[in-house]
Amino acid sequence: MPKKKLATIWLGGCSGCHMSLLDIDERILEVVKLADIVKSPVVDGKELPEVDIALVEGSITSDEHFREILHIRKQAKTLIALGDCAVMTNVTGMRNYFDLKEVVDASYVNAVSNDGQGELPGHPCLLKLNDKVLPLQEVVKVDFVIPGCPPDADTIFYVLAEFLNDRLPDLGKTKKLKYG
Ligand code: SF4
C-alpha cells in the first residue's frame, strides 16, 4: 500500500488533544510506517499540501481559523475533528455566552492582575476574534469525529490506524472513550 500523507492541525484549542496524540508513544512508529506526517505542530512542515487525512484540534475562533479550515477542507480527503473543541466548541466556546467585548475587556482591560493599567492588545499580527466560536462542522464538512477532552490516546491511535489501513473506524469497538 502506498504511504499516505497525514497532517495534524491546531486551531482554537489548548493543545491538550495534541498532547494526547503524543501519548500514543511508540505506536507513532506504526503510524509513520503507513504515513508521512507532512504538517503538524510536532514537525517542521509550514505549508499544507494535499493530504489523505487531516486531524484538526480546536474550534474556529477567528478570521484566520476560518480561512485555515476552508483551506484544510480543500486539501484533505478525510477531515477528522479531534476532540470536543473541534466537535462542539467545548471550553473554547464558553465565551459564546457573553458579548465578545465583555470577554476581551475582562481578560485585558479590567483584569485584576493589570492593576488598572490594562489595555487591549492591538498588534496587526494578532488573530481577529470572531463574535462567536464555531465548531468545525458549522463551517466545513467533517468526515469523522473523535470526541473527548482530550480524546484518549488509544482512541486516537485506533482511528488513525483504521483510516491509514483504508478501514472506517467503529468507535463502539474501542475499549474506552474519555469524556473529561
Ligand atoms: S478538547 Fe479539551 S484537550 Fe482538546 S483542545 Fe479542547 S480543551 Fe483542550
Side-chain angles (χ1 to χ4, degrees), residues 10 12-18 57-58 82-86 89-92 148-151:
W10 175 15
C14 73
S15 90
C17 291
H18 270 84
E57 168 189 328
L82 173 65
D84 284 347
C85 288
T89 77
N90 191 36
V91 176
T92 314
C149 179

Side-chain angles (χ1 to χ4, degrees), residues 46-113:
K46 301 283 188 284
E47 303 299 326
L48 177 64
E50 287 188 356
V51 292
D52 297 286
I53 300 165
L55 271 183
V56 183
E57 168 189 328
S59 35
I60 311 299
T61 71
S62 65
D63 56 343
E64 188 174 310
H65 289 161
F66 196 86
R67 286 193 298 275
E68 204 170 345
I69 194 65
L70 294 180
H71 183 58
I72 294 165
R73 180 64 279 181
K74 196 163 141 270
Q75 298 296 83
K77 285 187 195 144
T78 301
L79 192 161
I80 301 173
L82 173 65
D84 284 347
C85 288
V87 177
M88 60 179 88
T89 77
N90 191 36
V91 176
T92 314
M94 287 172 74
R95 75 166 167 85
N96 284 349
Y97 295 98
F98 305 92
D99 180 75
L100 176 60
K101 184 169 182 327
E102 266 181 79
V103 174
V104 174
D105 282 351
S107 305
Y108 293 99
V109 181
N110 303 321
V112 174
S113 56

